[in-house]
Amino acid sequence: MLKWSVILLVIALIAGIFGFFNIVGAAVGVAKVLFFIFLVLFIVSLFTGRRGRSL
């Protein structure tokens, strides 16, 4: 999924260069949503991740 965020960022940058502002807005919006979803999932995985057995 992180790959999709990077792809959308590249699409937004290329579209911005060519002046397609509607495409830029949509791609940036989707990229922001994916970024925050991944951020929340990362924080949750930090707290609920597997820990090694202590002896």
Side-chain angles (χ1 to χ4, degrees), residues 1 4-5 11 22 25 30 33 40-41 49:
M1 288 264 210
W4 284 105
S5 295
I11 291 172
N22 292 333
V30 172
V33 170
V40 169
L41 289 175

Side-chain angles (χ1 to χ4, degrees), residues 36-55:
F36 286 113
I37 289 172
F38 294 133
L39 184 65
V40 169
L41 289 175
F42 173 70
I43 292 170
V44 168
S45 70
L46 284 178
F47 291 114
T48 62
R50 294 186 181 183
R51 293 181 177 85
R53 293 185 198 178
S54 59
L55 297 173

Side-chain angles (χ1 to χ4, degrees), residues 5-17:
S5 295
V6 174
I7 291 171
L8 289 172
L9 175 65
V10 171
I11 291 172
L13 291 173
I14 292 171
I17 291 170

